[in-house]
Every structure is written in C-alpha cells, then in structure tokens.
Amino acid sequence: MDRRIEEETQQDFDWDKNQMELENRIRNLVWTVSGDYTLNLKVDTARYQKMPNAVLYDTIRQGAFAKYFDREAYSMYLVKKIYSGAGETELMTTAQLVTEQAVSERLEKERPGVKSFRLRAWEEILDLDFSGLTAYAIGRLKIAYIRSKRAEDLGIKDILSGDLKRWMNQLAEAKDAEDTMELIRLTDRLYNETTDPLFEKKHGSLQTVLSVTIEELTEYTWKDFLSEDLYEDTLQTYLEKVSLDMTTFDLENMSEEKKEEHQKTSAQKKVVIVDETALQRMHSYVECNFGRTYLSPAEEKSRNYQFCRGIHSDCSLYYTEGILKNPTVNNYQLSYARKQKDKNIHAYYEEHRTVKQNVKILSGMLKKALVQREDIQTVEADHGKLTASCLWKAGRCENAKLFQREIRNDALDFVVDILIDASGSQRQRQSDVALQAYILAETLSNVQIPFRVMSFCTFWDYTILHRMRDYKDPREKNSGIFEYITSSNNRDGLAIRAVGSDLLQREENKKLLIVLSDGKPYDVLVNRPNARNPQPYRDQVAVDDTAREVRRLRQQGILILGVFTGNEAELQAERKIFGKDFAYIRQVKNFSRIVGSYLLKQIEE
C-alpha cells in the first residue's frame, strides 16, 4: 500500500492537465489512507502550484485524521472558538500542530513510506514560510516542532528551553490522544497559552465555547473570513474552509490590517449588519453569484411591492435562469456550479436505469388515468345535434331539450409548478433532489402537461428564484434541472407566495404545485439602516408562515403536494406545513409509486 501511495504521488502533476483530474487524484489519496470513500473534502489545487510536496503530505494527513478522529466535530470546535473571539491564523496553526502530532506516528506505523513525503513537505515550508512563522509565538513553536522532528529522524537530540520546551511537552500529549475531545482540550489549552492568555477571562472557558449553538453560528456572517471569490458567506462554506486548513501544515500569515479587522468583526454576533455601501453592492453581488435577472427593473420593483409584505417586509425577490446561463464574471461560484452540474449528471448516469424505470411507471399510470378522463359523454341540451325522436316535446313540454351534445373531458386541463428548496441544508442531497425533479419533468413531458421548474434560496434579504425550465419549453430543456445547486438560507413562505401567484394566472382549470423541501424554513436576520428589522425567520415563526401560505393558495384552488427530502427528525414541521398532502421519499426508486398515487388521485377527482 505504501508503494501504491508513493507511485500515485510521484506522478507528474502537470498544471496544464484538467484541474478536475488533479482534484480527483488528490481525493483518491485521502480516500486510500482513510478507507472512507464517502469522505467529502475541498481540494486546494491552486496551492499545489507553489508547494506540491506540502499539498501531497497534507492530503495524506487529511485522510489519516478522518480515519482516527471525528473530523467534523473538531472542525466545529474551531469554528466556535473563532466565533467566540479567537484569532483565526493562530488557532489554525495550533490545530495544524495538534493534528500533525496526533496522526503522524499512527500513520507511519501503517505506512512507513509516508515519512519521505513529510520530510520533503517540511523543507518547502521552512524555505517559503520561515520568516513569517518567526513573527508570532505559535509560529515559532511550529518551527521548533519541525526542527525537533528532523533532528529525531537523524538521531540527534534537539535542545529546547523555556516556553518552547513547555509547549512542546504539551503538544506531545496529542500522540496518545484516544478521542477527538482530548485533542479539542489540548488545542484550546495550547492556543490560550501561546496566543491569548486572557482568552477565558474575556470570552469564556472551553465549556462556554462549546455551548455556542448552530443557530448562533448560522446567523453570524463569515464574510470577513472568506475571500471575495468564494460563492457564499455561510457557516457551511467557512466550516469547509476550516476542515481543509486544520490539516494544512503551511498557512499564509494574516496581515496586521486583516488581524485588526478580524478582531473588530469577531464581536459581532447573531445578526448580519450591513451599511449603505454594502446595500448598494448587494444587488451586484447577487448578480455575480446567481446570474443576471431576466426581469426588467420595473418588473422587479412591481413584484417586490406585490409580494414582499408583512413578515417579508424589507425582503426582495430576484428572478434568474442561473449563473450557468447568464454569468457576469468568471468567479468561484461559476466554477462550483459547473462542477455540481457535472456531479448531478454523473449521478443520473449511475442511476439512469432506476430513473427511466420510475419515469416509465409514472408515465404509464398517468396516461391511463388521463385516457379515462377523455371519455365522451352525450347529454341532452338546448343546442347541438337535433334529435328527431324528441320533436314531439316541442310546445308540449316546459324546457324541452330537443338536441344532443357531446361533452369531452379535457384530460390536459392541468398545469404544474415544481418548486425545489435550494438552501445550503440540502447540500448533501443535491444530486438526489435533482433526480427526483428530473423524474417528474420527464413524466409530465410524456403526458404533455405544461409545467415549470424553479428552485429557491435566500442570500441576505434576496430570495433567489432560479428558473430551470419554463412552461412552454421543449422537452430538451428538462436537462436544465441538472443545474440545480444549493446555497445559503431559505424563506419558504415568500417563495411559495411568489410562485403560487404565477400559477393562479394560468388558464388551466387544475393547478398543482409540488414543493420539494427539507421542512426547515430558515433565513438570517439582516440588520439594515432605517429598516424595520423583523424577527428572524426560523423555527415556529417560519413554519407557521409557510403553512399559512400553503393554506391560502389551497383556498384559491391550487393543489399543493409537499415532497419531503430532508431528515426524518424534521417530519413534524413538514406535516404542519403541508397537512396530509405530503410524501416522504427515502429512496429515489420509490419516487414514482409515492408521488404517482397522489397525482392519480388528483386526476381521478
């Protein structure tokens, strides 16, 4: 196995080759070492250009750390510590040392060949980062650690004294750690001693840090910690960044100006605070990350005036066909969207037999029901085809009906809207949700029922409605569903209100709205100048508002089916929102049977 790792890592990684191929090869290293082929990680291919050996070694250590410890729990602790006021650069350097000490000996016992990668990686780090590391205490500890390990490899005893010796002794405890919590305690203690001895006095103990809730983290803006080309400023994005950085043994130093800015923004919690300048840039930022809108400014203003009322005051709607169809700049989000589309398409090819079978079954069920609706009925009427046998009634019977008229049930008097929750909480299910929507789209195309497919998410106070397929589009446009991508939060009530209003304007007699969601409406509170600043859109407030919009549309004649795509723990909220008309899809293969039974019921009625 060691030879396999060495052969893979020694191959010529040519930057001119396809970047995705490079990412896949690096991921394979992590999966090989960790043994977990479901492990999701972000690959820093740009850094590979500068420090190839360090990237390869860090990649191997990522796999090892995921194998021996709980990577997500450790990453969450780091995010909570930064949220509580810790310096990001110093804390991440501390985490790199702790994770290195925790896995290096374990890893080398299983794979002795890894040692050579480590030595080459450290040579790069000392060559490129030495002067920067000497500028702060934890950086000097990193240098001491690398030198100590190099001396140990050469059979030389490295002599340390003072604080460095004491900190090195503490760091050595990591190699005997039996669980992730031991590493968290060590990281916390080491950071406080080397970087901020007054941390507990100013911000609280480790217990205080760990008691920070997910809601508090989600409400907090991580924008100041992310580069401008990252596609969203959410907790999930920052958590992914931390998961990568904590096992990345070189980390470029934060400038003094950025450190001061970080310390200032760390005090801000629970709300996103934006100034007038940020408000002016907000629309252009949304445009850069979600694609140009297809509405004119007048249409956009009209819709916002019509729908953004009550609990949705100070919110805005943004209609787009997506960043892939209407990009403004070549940024990270555009690249991410392309990759996610490829993943969705790849998932389709892996499940194409299941998908086609579902489409076939569901189409057959609906076609049979629609044919029955097309039965022709003959009824007596006061106009139509004259019935000779009834002429005797003329002048003799009141309201005599002397004619017969054929009544044909209009089987295609249906229109459907498919609305998909595209918030960040759906991230792990993106491909599954896309496949479910695609099954519906192909089925409705087969039976020639007009339909539209849209997704929604909320970034700051913009609820983005991404139109992937319109009512009159040809069947080929169904593939636009694979452009489904998740991001940020979700204001379900506003999205359902806006989409339902369009559906009400349709001429068809039978109107159906199918909502694919995880039953967790949640939106951050944006604190804007001169705004009314409504309460956060979450928990019972958000569930009640979404349920109210569903009831309002049903009273106006729209049939609404909720297709639940979330975790079973959220089923109660889904039931409250959609009542008895919701379907829980655990596996894609069951999609046609469950959704088909509901559609059949509506057609037959």
Side-chain angles (χ1 to χ4, degrees), residues 218 231-232 234-237 240 290 336 420-430 456-459 484-491 518 520 522:
T218 308
Y231 76 100
E232 59 173 323
T234 64
L235 168 63
Q236 185 64 33
T237 303
E240 290 176 358
F290 296 95
Y336 179 82
I420 312 174
D421 175 4
S423 62
S425 59
Q426 294 276 62
R427 181 170 308 211
Q428 301 301 321
R429 299 181 286 270
Q430 285 179 99
F456 71 97
C457 68
T458 301
F459 176 77
Y484 171 68
I485 180 175
T486 62
S487 175
S488 303
N489 304 310
N490 52 309
R491 188 170 279 262
D518 62 1
K520 291 171 59 178
Y522 180 91

Side-chain angles (χ1 to χ4, degrees), residues 250-518:
D250 81 293
L251 190 67
E252 294 188 6
N253 300 301
M254 190 182 293
S255 66
E256 290 301 320
E257 181 181 353
K258 192 172 181 181
K259 285 183 183 179
E260 292 178 5
E261 182 183 352
H262 161 66
Q263 291 171 359
K264 180 180 179 181
T265 57
S266 291
Q268 299 173 356
K269 299 179 181 180
K270 298 186 180 179
V271 296
V272 175
I273 301 176
V274 296
D275 55 21
E276 291 292 352
T277 303
L279 284 173
Q280 293 170 6
R281 295 178 54 195
M282 194 184 296
H283 189 278
S284 62
Y285 189 88
V286 169
E287 189 176 58
C288 288
N289 288 276
F290 296 95
R292 292 186 181 89
T293 179
Y294 55 79
L295 296 182
S296 68
E299 290 174 321
E300 196 173 65
K301 184 176 180 180
S302 174
R303 283 179 175 264
N304 286 333
Y305 179 79
Q306 181 181 358
F307 302 122
C308 298
R309 296 172 174 269
I311 197 173
H312 307 299
S313 296
D314 295 324
C315 295
S316 302
L317 288 164
Y318 188 86
Y319 291 78
T320 178
E321 290 190 323
I323 192 171
L324 291 177
K325 288 189 174 68
N326 294 300
T328 57
V329 293
N330 188 7
N331 58 4
Y332 179 90
Q333 173 67 348
L334 181 60
S335 174
Y336 179 82
R338 286 170 178 159
K339 291 178 184 178
Q340 185 57 46
K341 180 181 179 181
D342 289 341
K343 289 181 181 179
N344 292 339
I345 293 173
H346 180 70
Y348 166 75
Y349 284 124
E350 284 190 333
E351 298 281 347
H352 73 278
R353 288 188 177 87
T354 300
V355 171
K356 288 182 177 180
Q357 183 67 12
N358 271 264
V359 171
K360 181 179 179 181
I361 293 173
L362 192 52
S363 297
M365 294 167 64
L366 297 188
K367 282 179 179 178
K368 182 178 180 181
L370 290 170
V371 166
Q372 292 176 351
R373 275 181 55 90
E374 288 181 337
D375 290 345
I376 299 174
Q377 299 181 27
T378 302
V379 297
E380 293 182 349
D382 56 6
H383 66 282
K385 184 179 180 181
L386 182 65
T387 306
S389 61
C390 294
L391 288 175
W392 66 269
K393 296 180 181 179
R396 294 184 175 88
C397 299
E398 187 177 353
N399 298 324
K401 295 182 178 180
L402 309 178
F403 302 88
Q404 286 187 339
R405 185 164 63 90
E406 292 182 348
I407 299 178
R408 179 186 297 271
N409 289 323
D410 189 354
L412 299 182
D413 194 22
F414 276 84
V415 63
V416 177
D417 251 300
I418 302 170
L419 181 62
I420 312 174
D421 175 4
S423 62
S425 59
Q426 294 276 62
R427 181 170 308 211
Q428 301 301 321
R429 299 181 286 270
Q430 285 179 99
S431 295
D432 285 344
V433 173
L435 290 182
Q436 292 179 12
Y438 185 74
I439 290 171
L440 274 174
E442 287 291 284
T443 299
L444 294 172
S445 292
N446 282 343
V447 296
Q448 298 180 351
I449 290 178
F451 68 98
R452 179 178 64 171
V453 183
M454 299 186 82
S455 68
F456 71 97
C457 68
T458 301
F459 176 77
W460 280 7
D461 63 356
Y462 278 87
T463 291
I464 290 92
L465 292 168
H466 175 191
R467 186 175 68 190
M468 295 177 279
R469 201 261 192 206
D470 205 1
Y471 298 112
K472 294 182 179 180
D473 284 341
R475 187 190 194 110
E476 294 74 29
K477 293 289 186 178
N478 291 350
S479 61
I481 293 171
F482 294 125
E483 295 178 9
Y484 171 68
I485 180 175
T486 62
S487 175
S488 303
N489 304 310
N490 52 309
R491 188 170 279 262
D492 295 40
L494 179 56
I496 290 173
R497 178 187 293 184
V499 171
S501 177
D502 291 341
L503 201 51
L504 287 169
Q505 305 305 313
R506 297 285 300 183
E507 296 179 353
E508 289 83 359
N509 183 51
K510 204 92 165 180
K511 301 174 177 67
L512 174 62
L513 173 60
I514 301 175
V515 183
L516 279 68
S517 74
D518 62 1

